[in-house]
Each structure stands twice: as C-alpha cells, then as structure tokens.
Amino acid sequence: MSTSQPLVDQFQRRITYLRLSVTDRCDLRCSYCMPERMAFLPRKDVLTLDEMHDLALGFIARGITKLRLTGGEPLVRRDMIDLVRALGRRIGANDGRGHLDELTLTTNGTRLAEFADDLRAAGVRRINVSLDTLDREAFARLTRRDSLPQVLEGLAAAKAAGLQVKLNTVALKGVNEQEIADIIAWAHGQGFDATLIEVMPLGEVEEDRFDHYLPLVAVQEDLARRWTLTPSGHRTGGPARYWQVEETGGRLGLITPLTNNFCEGCNRIRVTATGQLYACLGGNEQVDLRAALRSEDPQAALGQALDTAMRIKPARHNFAIDARGAAPALARHMSMTGG
C-alpha cells in the first residue's frame, strides 16, 4: 500500500485525470442517455461534499493533476460550488501534498447563468457544455425539457465570465446529423471549441441506439468536403483528437469510442457519486471507495483501494453498436457513472 506514490496501472499508464461525479441527478432527460422516468439514487447513498473533498485530496496526493466534476448535472447539487472553491485551492499548490493543474466540469448549461462567475472565481478556467441541437423544438424532443433558452443564456454568461467553453455534441443519425456543421460553425463563431461524440451503449433507454448510431468517420468525411480540416496537436488530457477548421478558424474534436478505440493512452479513472471507482467507463471493474472513506483508517484504506484499482484497470473497453435490439454494453447509465 502506498499513500503518495503515483497511480500507474498494470499497463504502465500513468493515471493523472479523475472524473468525479457529484450527483447522478439531472434536470434534463436526454433520450439517448436515460429513460423519462429515471430512478435516481437515494440521497443517503451519495457521498457528502466533505467526503468528496477528502476523496479528491487523496487522489491529488497520488498524482492526479486534472479533476473534472461531472454528474448527472453537477450544478443541480446544492452547495456544490463550495466543493469547487475548496478544490480550487489545490490549483498550483506547492505544499508537498500534490496539486491540480486544472479543475473543470461538464455541464448541460441550464444553470450556468447562475454559477459562471462563481466558477471562474473558484479557479475554473475551462468547461464542457453538452449541447446536441440549436433548434428549440428539437432540443425539447431530445431532452424532454424546453430548456434551450436557459442553456444559451448560460453559455453567454460563461463567455462573459471569461470561461473557455467547449461544446460537446453527440452525433445522432436522424436526429441532429443535418445540423452538425451548423452547430460547429455557431460554436466557432462564439469563440468556443466544438467536439463530436459517438453515442455510447450505456444503460437501457426507450429508443434503440442502433437506429441513431452515427459513426464519426462518416461525419468527418462529410465535413472534409465542406471545410479544410487540418490535424491539430492540441490536447486537453481527454480522449478527443483535434482538427483545425480553416474556414471557421476554430477547433474541432472527435471522440470515437466505437470506430477508433483510444484506450492505449488512457490516463483516466471515474468515481461515482456513491464513491464507486470504475477503472474503465466501458467495464465493470470497480473498487468501493466509500467503504474506505468510512473505515477506521480512511487514509490507509483509500491507499489500498487505489492500489487495487491500478491492478484491475483493463487494457481497453469493448463498446459496439452493431445490431438492432442488442442489449447495452453495460446496464448502468452514463449519469450513474459520471459523464
């Protein structure tokens, strides 16, 4: 057991990036993500914000330098901004207890207007905002909520606060494929980066993901007929690979968990709001960090749990969407794992 040695898995990959879910709850119900009547976790099962802070400090002491807060929708959790402020104090810290290079979050944007200034003041400089359409009616159908005006207001507030914004758009056949180029152009016009993501087979939903799966290789070919795409060496620590779009002057990222597996250089682990560490988004390998935190010797137990996680992290995930009616790769929804 080690409490300070860097996190290195069995494939000698250095783990430096933690995605910590603060809640599985969300104020939207995106049809590819969860059912309309989603059963959320009992609040008693979710870690307290103090526990999440202690957990994050344990990871930072082991070499985590990038921390992304996720959900569900992280900004729906009451007092979540207090956790952001506390973790923000570790940015650039030089006290021998580890430091963060970056603290960020992924949000659907519905509450950004309320929190953008607070996030910036707490040390957040860059955020990801999930947005799959700019059409209000399509947004309402896809998310089952008429909230596009709030999202656009939130994006404007984030821009005004000086936050760098990256729009994350899930490419969906028959839903938003004709709008993808317009979304990218709009994002670049706002000074935002844009990233496209293939839909992932996580959790049961009412629709069949096979009907909406859109391989990004096809999208990229279509965009390349419209624009000049130049490979970019830009990296943010995540799985996206980037292109510069000469005509818009902006940057385009592609995340391809199905058509172009990116696991070889994986530097990430995820922790759910209940303290379950998933060594891989696409696997069931997990370690119970909540039990470690609530043990008689939390520091030692957490160190042992993290060592176990490094031993069980798999080489890669095995996502596939290749047959109508097939069961999802995993039963748990993305909102439970942490987006």
Side-chain angles (χ1 to χ4, degrees):
M1 185 276 294
S2 171
T3 58
S4 59
Q5 290 184 355
L7 297 170
V8 180
D9 73 7
Q10 60 178 322
F11 305 101
Q12 301 308 302
R13 295 175 297 196
R14 177 81 176 266
I15 308 302
T16 58
Y17 181 4
L18 170 64
R19 300 176 70 104
L20 175 61
S21 174
V22 300
T23 180
D24 70 320
R25 296 173 184 268
C26 188
D27 52 351
L28 302 181
R29 297 290 186 276
C30 296
S31 59
Y32 60 82
C33 183
M34 65 179 71
E36 168 66 55
R37 297 182 179 277
M38 181 69 176
F40 294 114
L41 293 166
R43 296 185 190 276
K44 64 181 177 60
D45 292 344
V46 176
L47 295 180
T48 67
L49 291 181
D50 284 341
E51 287 176 323
M52 289 186 177
H53 182 242
D54 290 344
L55 184 63
L57 292 183
F59 276 102
I60 293 167
R62 295 291 297 271
I64 290 294
T65 57
K66 177 176 178 177
L67 201 162
R68 178 177 295 279
L69 299 174
T70 70
E73 170 46 47
L75 294 178
V76 302
R77 178 156 183 178
R78 189 168 60 87
D79 299 333
M80 199 280 283
I81 200 67
D82 292 336
L83 177 63
V84 179
R85 293 189 183 107
L87 293 174
R89 300 186 187 107
R90 301 310 304 167
I91 299 173
N94 189 26
D95 55 11
R97 294 183 293 156
H99 72 280
L100 288 176
D101 292 332
E102 183 179 40
L103 173 65
T104 184
L105 80 159
T106 295
T107 173
N108 62 28
T110 59
R111 302 194 68 183
L112 261 181
E114 179 181 353
F115 290 109
D117 288 331
D118 289 335
L119 292 170
R120 171 76 187 187
V124 175
R125 295 294 178 265
R126 189 171 64 87
I127 61 172
N128 289 0
V129 179
S130 301
L131 182 62
D132 300 321
T133 178
L134 290 167
D135 180 273
R136 186 169 179 174
E137 291 185 3
F139 185 98
R141 288 194 301 271
L142 186 60
T143 69
R144 305 183 179 107
R145 302 291 186 270
D146 182 20
S147 300
L148 182 61
Q150 293 96 303
V151 174
L152 296 179
E153 182 186 4
L155 285 167
K159 183 177 179 179
L163 294 171
Q164 297 177 42
V165 175
K166 183 178 78 170
L167 289 190
N168 284 346
T169 299
V170 177
L172 299 165
K173 183 170 64 176
V175 178
N176 67 355
E177 62 182 313
Q178 301 303 319
E179 194 185 353
I180 286 174
D182 292 336
I183 294 172
I184 296 168
W186 181 84
H188 291 173
Q190 295 293 317
F192 304 155
D193 286 350
T195 291
L196 305 179
I197 307 172
E198 290 175 338
V199 66
M200 299 187 204
L202 297 174
E204 289 285 356
V205 294
E206 284 93 348
E207 299 175 353
D208 194 322
R209 289 191 180 94
F210 180 86
D211 294 328
H212 298 309
Y213 168 47
L214 182 59
L216 286 188
V217 62
V219 176
Q220 184 178 353
E221 290 172 354
D222 179 64
L223 293 175
R225 286 190 288 268
R226 178 190 301 255
W227 292 324
T228 305
L229 305 182
T230 305
S232 168
H234 178 75
R235 294 290 183 270
T236 61
R241 293 298 176 263
Y242 291 91
W243 278 257
Q244 194 70 25
V245 183
E246 291 191 18
E247 288 79 0
T248 66
R251 197 156 43 213
L252 172 65
L254 301 179
I255 298 180
T256 53
L258 289 96
T259 58
N260 185 17
N261 187 279
F262 45 66
C263 298
E264 182 177 350
C266 183
N267 63 341
R268 300 171 297 284
I269 46 178
R270 298 169 186 260
V271 176
T272 72
T274 62
Q276 302 304 307
L277 183 156
Y278 282 96
C280 173
L281 173 63
N284 283 314
E285 298 85 356
Q286 69 184 93
V287 179
D288 187 355
L289 302 186
R290 183 176 60 186
L293 285 172
R294 297 178 181 178
S295 68
E296 293 183 359
D297 188 351
Q299 185 176 3
L302 181 59
Q304 291 173 342
L306 296 184
D307 288 341
T308 298
M310 294 302 97
R311 290 194 295 270
I312 66 173
K313 185 171 173 62
R316 56 169 292 166
H317 66 249
N318 292 291
F319 286 153
I321 299 179
D322 51 16
R324 183 172 286 106
L330 296 171
R332 67 178 188 273
H333 292 84
M334 175 68 93
S335 65
M336 183 178 295
T337 309

